[in-house]
Amino acid sequence: MKIWIFAEISRRRLSQVALELISCGRGLTADAQVTAVLLGHGLDGAIRDAAAAGAAQIIVADHPLLENYDDCRYEAILTNLVRKYNPDILLGGATAIGRALLPRCAVKLHTGLTADCTQLTIEPETGLLLQTRPAFGGNLFATIKTAEYRPQMATVRPQVMKITPFTMVKEPEIIRVTPSEDELRGSFDWLDFIPKAESDSDLRNAKVIVTAGYGCGGPDGVKLVRDFAAAVGATLAASRPVVDAGWLPYACQVGQTGTTVQPDIYVAIGISGAIQHWVGMGNAKKIIAVNKDPDCFMMQQADVAVQADLFSLLPAAISKLQK
Ligand SMILES: Cc1cc2nc3c(=O)[nH]c(=O)nc-3n(C[C@H](O)[C@H](O)[C@H](O)COP(=O)(O)OP(=O)(O)OC[C@H]3O[C@@H](n4cnc5c(N)ncnc54)[C@H](O)[C@@H]3O)c2cc1C
């Protein structure tokens, strides 16, 4: 089965979501042949990344005019490659670029696309890609198939797929393509690139996250969680009601309508574990829950469940940690 990954580049290296998707592609089926498609400039490092992640084949279009993302150029090249090689499946990250590019390609290729998937599997009887994503405001999960058209296309949210270890036994095949003049006709002039300032609420890369839930009851409770996060060197996050109440900014929100995270340790304080929160953090390696209610979903799912009132537990924990 030919599984293609549009492997997004970030600062000339493969983006995290591309690594996740290559790993996901490898695990989809026993006969998976994963191809990473790299568009950009100065791609030697990214080619090495794709090979190390487990791509069996790497298609590279390396050109100065592809250094920065351009809807028209990228769409023309990717669409023509798909027409030439006919992959069964084409996946990309549900990032700003993936969300712009893949729907354009789906329209040109006259096929379906499921956006923002949180799970991908292969249906054993038919070999079709089962594309699962939250639907109806996150109240249920829909599984969608593209039965008639090819390729089967989906975007996948960063951090939802786990990277599995890979040992290279054979060097990948590398196919270099030279984009035509037509394909390189761009849609805008590039002026400048201004990187976003790193902030302490850069949740995606955080290894330890401490999250304040609505059980905090107000800014005083959130301050306790903030002090606890600082004492253990963790990044502070929030559930949606905490953000809606204005106790923490949106940049802190974890969940379906916030950021998806995959830290080593996720400490959920005063959080019930609604599905819309869970889809944003359920892949954390270890989950520690602090809650008064031992029966709530978060406490039931946690690796360590601490039944306690946060207003008693946290001051004691903070003073112990500060000694
Ligand atoms: C379309 C849609 C999108 C959504 N997107 C998101 C999203 O991105 N992220 C998100 O988080 N939610 C999202 N939600 C909201 C979600 O459905 C839940 O309402 C929300 O996650 C609940 O947040 P919570 O667990 O902090 O609050 P609650 O569900 O109110 O839970 C509070 C918890 O605190 C505990 N508690 C109370 N007092 C204490 C105390 N003193 N000490 C210890 N524990 C205490 C309670 O036992 C309870 O378990 C979305 C909803 C919809 C419909």
Side-chain angles (χ1 to χ4, degrees):
M1 186 178 296
K2 289 196 272 181
I3 301 173
W4 276 27
I5 312 298
F6 167 67
E8 207 172 313
I9 309 291
S10 171
R11 293 179 196 153
R12 298 197 167 184
R13 302 308 295 255
L14 229 57
S15 65
Q16 178 68 17
V17 69
L19 300 171
E20 291 165 8
L21 288 174
I22 291 172
S23 178
C24 160
R26 280 194 281 112
L28 272 179
T29 161
D31 68 345
Q33 213 233 350
V34 176
T35 298
V37 183
L38 275 57
L39 312 185
H41 185 48
L43 294 176
D44 291 349
I47 293 170
R48 284 196 299 276
D49 293 340
Q57 186 182 61
I58 304 173
I59 300 181
V60 187
D62 189 325
H63 192 283
L65 287 175
L66 299 175
E67 169 105 47
N68 299 304
Y69 175 70
D70 181 295
D71 285 318
C72 288
R73 289 180 184 137
Y74 275 51
E75 178 251 295
I77 296 168
L78 187 55
T79 308
N80 286 336
L81 285 170
V82 168
R83 287 195 181 113
K84 182 167 174 193
Y85 292 99
N86 294 314
D88 300 292
I89 292 172
L90 172 57
L91 307 174
T95 59
I97 289 178
R99 282 173 172 157
L101 175 64
L102 271 78
R104 289 179 73 101
C105 294
V107 170
K108 286 286 163 67
L109 294 163
H110 194 61
T111 185
L113 167 89
T114 307
D116 270 19
C117 292
T118 51
Q119 197 190 338
L120 298 173
T121 49
I122 298 290
E123 191 173 51
E125 312 81 60
T126 59
L128 289 172
L129 181 67
L130 300 178
Q131 308 150 41
T132 303
R133 57 152 296 153
F136 292 101
N139 291 314
L140 56 85
F141 283 88
T143 296
I144 295 161
K145 299 188 228 182
T146 310
E148 306 287 335
Y149 299 96
R150 291 294 175 272
Q152 302 161 84
M153 288 181 64
T155 57
V156 178
R157 289 183 72 153
Q159 309 262 29
V160 296
M161 299 296 175
K162 287 207 167 121
I163 296 179
T164 53
F166 171 75
T167 314
M168 199 190 306
V169 283
K170 193 173 155 227
E171 289 287 327
E173 178 192 11
I174 297 181
I175 301 174
R176 292 186 184 270
V177 294
T178 308
S180 68
E181 230 172 82
D182 252 13
E183 288 172 332
L184 288 173
R185 205 161 289 136
S187 52
F188 54 79
D189 294 323
W190 190 269
L191 299 182
D192 199 1
F193 174 70
I194 303 167
K196 194 178 85 178
E198 296 286 308
S199 81
D200 62 353
S201 52
D202 190 7
L203 289 176
R204 276 194 210 291
N205 302 320
K207 294 282 174 226
V208 183
I209 294 176
V210 169
T211 305
Y214 204 55
C216 288
D220 291 347
V222 171
K223 182 175 179 312
L224 276 178
V225 178
R226 184 196 293 278
D227 292 347
F228 176 70
V232 295
T235 301
L236 181 66
S239 68
R240 178 163 155 174
V242 169
V243 172
D244 288 348
W247 304 337
L248 283 173
Y250 173 71
C252 291
Q253 186 179 316
V254 168
Q256 184 191 318
T257 42
T259 304
T260 306
V261 297
Q262 212 179 64
D264 292 339
I265 302 176
Y266 189 85
V267 187
I269 303 182
I271 298 180
S272 59
I275 185 65
Q276 297 89 355
H277 188 81
W278 185 260
V279 293
M281 46 61 65
N283 274 339
K285 289 195 185 122
K286 281 270 175 291
I287 298 170
I288 301 173
V290 176
N291 203 303
K292 285 200 297 197
D293 174 7
D295 298 323
C296 71
F297 186 78
M298 189 64 83
M299 291 285 274
Q300 292 292 316
Q301 297 300 313
D303 299 286
V304 179
V306 183
Q307 186 186 358
D309 185 324
L310 67 94
F311 290 95
S312 324
L313 180 77
L314 293 186
I318 293 163
S319 89
K320 203 153 196 182
L321 286 161
Q322 284 170 346
K323 271 183 195 153

